Amino acid sequence: MALSAAPLKVCIVGSGNWGSAVAKIIGSNVKKLQKFASTVKMWVFEENINGRKLTDIINNEHENVKYLPGYKLPDNVFIHKVCDEITGRVPKKALGITLIKGIDEGPEGLKLISDIIREKMGIDISVLMGANIANEVAAEKFCETTIGSKILENGLLFKELLQTPNFRITVVDDADTVELCGALKNIVAVGAGFCDGLCCGDNTKAAVIRLGLMEMIAFARIFCKGQVSTATFLESCGVADLITTCYGGRNRRVAEAFVKTGKSIEELEQEMLNGQKLQGPQTSAEVYRILKQKGMLEKFPLFTAVYQICYEGKPVREMISCLQSHPEHI
């Protein structure tokens, strides 16, 4: 989003389920706010849907029929084919916000998606994470979310762009913790899905959520070198997103099917996710490698068990023994 001249131009990179839901909000808001340009451009990975280009369908019918069917996008949101190389084409005065819930493994350990974008593009990046199931946001059901921004005024600008009466935003400066919450809660949701697959009941799932939250806080303290506000975990990006994802969301759903069908995660992704990828198992693998490198696997039994069940053939029932032996303090 360029700051060099008013009105500010808005571009959305990505047009999956969540990107399309956010486009619906932004498209409506910019029509009412003079600060922002009235046309929103959206970059998309081109796909063919029954012989028609997805970009053409969205531009002409204003509906993402693949990733957010049933919801009309505002007529001021236009799709462009995704640029192979965005780097070097974005002004240095631009501001970005990432809604990607994941992490990457860098040469020195864990790498946040925001850091990758920040380094490649040379612009300030905020993050948005919260209890936000895309279809419910698109249906304008009330929910909260959290923006983390190292430069608070940038976070407040994105709040102005994105907030609606039914999409309530809190801005905090603990940006790395906000982003870690968005990634790590997906590991816990896989554990919750395993519990559902085993028909363990709500008490057991509540234990998974509590112990998973403990591991999230402990991991954040290691990664952020202690500079973590516990209050951030009480924002929407923390406990609220964790609960939502452990009761709804694709990670829980696929993990339950993993137990009941005996199929691999890869098979279930293809069958159940309409071309989208599962974040939880992949994040557990990245976290596992980092914890193993630091010799800290035993301090994170839930994270470790999720990885071993997904990728090393560990029996799902051992999830329960991991809960039984979980340390009281991490």
Side-chain angles (χ1 to χ4, degrees):
M1 191 163 62
L3 286 181
S4 52
L8 304 174
K9 295 178 182 176
V10 182
C11 174
I12 302 164
V13 181
S15 59
N17 189 234
W18 185 211
S20 297
V22 167
K24 189 171 180 286
I25 290 174
I26 292 174
S28 297
N29 277 357
V30 299
K31 287 181 176 181
K32 296 176 272 187
L33 299 167
Q34 291 186 330
K35 185 180 285 188
F36 302 100
S38 60
T39 296
V40 177
K41 291 187 178 177
M42 191 183 208
W43 298 85
V44 64
F45 180 78
E46 188 69 275
E47 297 180 67
N48 279 312
I49 311 293
N50 299 325
R52 292 180 66 195
K53 289 182 178 178
L54 183 57
T55 50
D56 290 341
I57 296 170
I58 296 173
N59 278 336
N60 294 314
E61 296 170 23
H62 304 290
E63 182 180 349
N64 189 334
V65 293
K66 180 166 184 183
Y67 295 114
L68 195 69
Y71 296 100
K72 289 289 181 184
L73 297 178
D75 57 11
N76 59 329
V77 176
F78 289 94
I79 302 294
H80 287 243
K81 192 174 184 298
V82 71
C83 184
D84 290 331
E85 192 59 61
I86 295 173
T87 306
R89 302 183 186 215
V90 176
K92 296 298 179 191
K93 288 184 178 178
L95 302 178
I97 186 164
T98 172
L99 283 64
I100 301 168
K101 294 182 176 179
I103 49 177
D104 204 357
E105 190 190 12
E108 295 165 20
L110 183 147
K111 193 94 169 165
L112 295 175
I113 301 296
S114 64
D115 285 334
I116 295 168
I117 300 170
R118 198 176 285 113
E119 288 167 18
K120 281 184 180 291
M121 299 179 68
I123 65 173
D124 184 65
I125 297 288
S126 300
V127 299
L128 183 147
M129 304 283 153
N132 309 137
I133 293 174
N135 291 60
E136 294 182 14
V137 173
E140 299 181 21
K141 294 180 179 177
F142 178 81
C143 68
E144 300 175 311
T145 199
T146 312
I147 289 177
S149 193
K150 295 183 180 186
I151 301 170
L152 211 55
E153 65 183 282
N154 294 349
L156 293 170
L157 181 65
F158 282 113
K159 176 178 179 175
E160 195 176 349
L161 174 68
L162 288 159
Q163 184 160 267
T164 74
N166 285 320
F167 192 61
R168 186 168 174 268
I169 297 172
T170 302
V171 181
V172 300
D173 60 5
D174 194 5
D176 289 353
T177 305
V178 172
E179 188 167 3
L180 273 175
C181 283
L184 297 175
K185 55 97 188 183
N186 285 323
I187 306 177
V188 187
V190 173
F194 290 158
C195 283
D196 288 342
L198 293 168
C199 300
C200 292
D202 286 338
N203 294 341
T204 307
K205 191 149 83 166
V208 168
I209 293 170
R210 187 186 77 83
L211 296 169
L213 181 61
M214 283 175 60
E215 292 193 16
M216 286 169 61
I217 295 170
F219 190 90
R221 284 183 176 145
I222 293 165
F223 176 74
C224 300
K225 301 176 177 64
Q227 298 174 343
V228 168
S229 169
T230 309
T232 303
F233 291 91
L234 298 178
E235 297 290 349
S236 180
C237 63
V239 68
D241 197 9
L242 180 61
I243 292 167
T244 298
T245 313
C246 287
Y247 279 88
R250 70 185 83 152
N251 289 280
R252 187 219 63 80
R253 190 161 45 93
V254 174
E256 181 181 26
F258 177 86
V259 180
K260 291 184 171 177
T261 66
K263 294 178 180 178
S264 70
I265 294 291
E266 292 77 14
E267 285 178 285
L268 292 168
E269 276 181 335
Q270 290 180 343
E271 286 179 21
M272 298 175 67
L273 296 185
N274 196 25
Q276 297 184 95
K277 299 297 285 182
L278 204 62
Q279 312 100 317
Q282 188 180 331
T283 304
S284 79
E286 286 147 2
V287 165
Y288 181 86
R289 283 191 285 271
I290 291 156
L291 292 174
K292 189 175 183 181
Q293 187 185 345
K294 291 182 180 288
M296 300 182 78
L297 288 173
E298 73 287 346
K299 292 191 174 181
F300 293 84
L302 181 61
F303 286 178
T304 301
V306 168
Y307 167 77
Q308 290 174 334
I309 291 165
C310 287
Y311 294 107
E312 293 187 346
K314 184 171 184 163
V316 184
R317 283 226 153 262
E318 293 199 25
M319 262 292 299
I320 309 307
S321 52
C322 127
L323 301 177
Q324 292 166 337
S325 60
H326 203 286
E328 285 186 33
H329 301 286
I330 303 178

